[in-house]
Amino acid sequence: MRSNDLTRLDTRPALETHIVDWVLQRAKDKSVLNVGAAGGVRGYLPNNREAWLHHQIGRVAKDLVGIDIDEEGIVYASRHGVEIFKTNCETMDLMREFEIIVLSDVIEHLDAPVIGIRNLMRHLSQDGRLLITTPNPTSSNTIARVIAGRLINVYYDHVTCFMPEHIQGICDRYGYEVEGFLFFDHLDKRNMVIRGKSIAARVISMVNHRLATSFMAIIKHGK
């Protein structure tokens, strides 16, 4: 929604403390396209498969297709019995539609994210949902680093960042509808210090959702 020259959200953001369970509930008995399925695959296969989102979706979905452009990751997954197709979501034509499309921490990597969203929407069934997750640039961690004069943690292959207003603006421009925005924090259990920081971030997010580390946009076709 446009207000003068500013974008205003059509829906009030909420906080979701179990985002993976939320995704799995939406994917249950649905046809699902998982974009960026090979991301981090070496950390999951062969011995940590149960923690891999692609594997978890495959256990509940009616039909799952995984795609990625990471050829090495695709080959590695294939060695462990998982088929992921090499194709680019910005240019692909799979000649079919899906009820759920998952774009999990991928949009910040794309050369042309708006083109990518539009192409994914072409592959979304009329009553389907596109689920986009991305790091939140207004997270408490980022703000604290700015105030402290420390370097901001930006991965080398992240070429852009999004706030919910950017996603809303894209949807407004092309006639898509935002069903909701969910802010969430990942619970990092690598050691006690990192786990403590993750818990602290969750507490802060309960006070103000916009300080969470990540958010999801839920998009559907307009009426």
Side-chain angles (χ1 to χ4, degrees):
M1 177 176 64
R2 179 175 175 176
S3 176
N4 296 322
D5 290 327
L6 299 177
T7 298
R8 302 301 184 197
L9 303 182
D10 286 343
T11 179
R12 185 180 179 87
L15 186 68
E16 176 56 56
T17 56
H18 299 91
I19 195 68
V20 173
D21 290 342
W22 189 96
V23 171
L24 296 179
Q25 289 174 6
R26 283 295 185 107
K28 185 176 175 59
D29 299 324
K30 301 286 179 59
S31 58
V32 181
L33 173 65
N34 186 20
V35 183
V41 66
R42 291 168 184 80
Y44 296 112
L45 298 177
N47 299 321
N48 197 26
R49 190 182 299 259
E50 295 302 319
W52 189 24
L53 180 61
H54 187 69
H55 176 76
Q56 293 179 66
I57 293 174
R59 294 185 63 179
V60 301
K62 175 180 65 179
D63 173 33
L64 174 63
V65 174
I67 64 170
D68 209 304
I69 61 172
D70 178 6
E71 189 165 356
E72 291 183 2
I74 292 171
V75 171
Y76 184 87
S78 178
R79 290 174 184 162
H80 296 282
V82 180
E83 183 179 38
I84 298 173
F85 297 98
K86 186 177 185 297
T87 189
N88 190 326
C89 70
E90 298 169 76
T91 58
M92 68 183 185
D93 184 1
L94 302 182
M95 294 183 292
R96 61 167 294 186
E97 295 179 343
F98 299 86
E99 295 169 283
I100 296 290
I101 299 178
V102 178
L103 192 71
S104 180
D105 287 6
V106 172
I107 191 171
E108 63 273 9
H109 298 258
L110 298 182
D111 290 332
V114 175
I115 290 174
I117 289 176
R118 294 187 69 190
N119 196 34
L120 289 172
M121 293 300 290
R122 288 199 312 109
H123 289 80
L124 186 69
S125 65
Q126 191 57 40
D127 60 348
R129 298 294 185 273
L130 169 61
L131 311 179
I132 301 175
T133 72
T134 190
N136 176 29
T138 63
S139 69
S140 58
N141 177 63
T142 298
I143 293 173
R145 284 181 169 271
V146 171
I147 293 173
R150 301 177 63 186
L151 293 176
I152 298 174
N153 292 330
V154 177
Y155 290 101
Y156 77 97
D157 53 350
H158 289 193
V159 294
T160 189
C161 61
F162 287 87
M163 292 190 290
E165 285 78 7
H166 295 120
I167 304 297
Q168 180 73 63
I170 293 169
C171 290
D172 291 347
R173 181 176 296 188
Y174 293 104
Y176 311 135
E177 185 175 341
V178 179
E179 186 173 75
F181 291 105
L182 299 177
F183 282 89
F184 62 94
D185 295 282
H186 295 289
L187 183 58
D188 194 330
K189 302 178 181 180
R190 284 178 291 173
N191 58 56
M192 291 301 294
V193 173
I194 294 177
R195 182 184 178 92
K197 290 181 178 179
S198 296
I199 293 173
R202 283 193 170 189
V203 172
I204 293 171
S205 301
M206 291 178 184
V207 177
N208 187 329
H209 304 344
R210 298 295 296 246
L211 297 176
T213 55
S214 300
F215 74 89
M216 173 188 286
I218 304 134
I219 301 171
K220 61 183 180 179
H221 289 290
K223 297 178 181 179

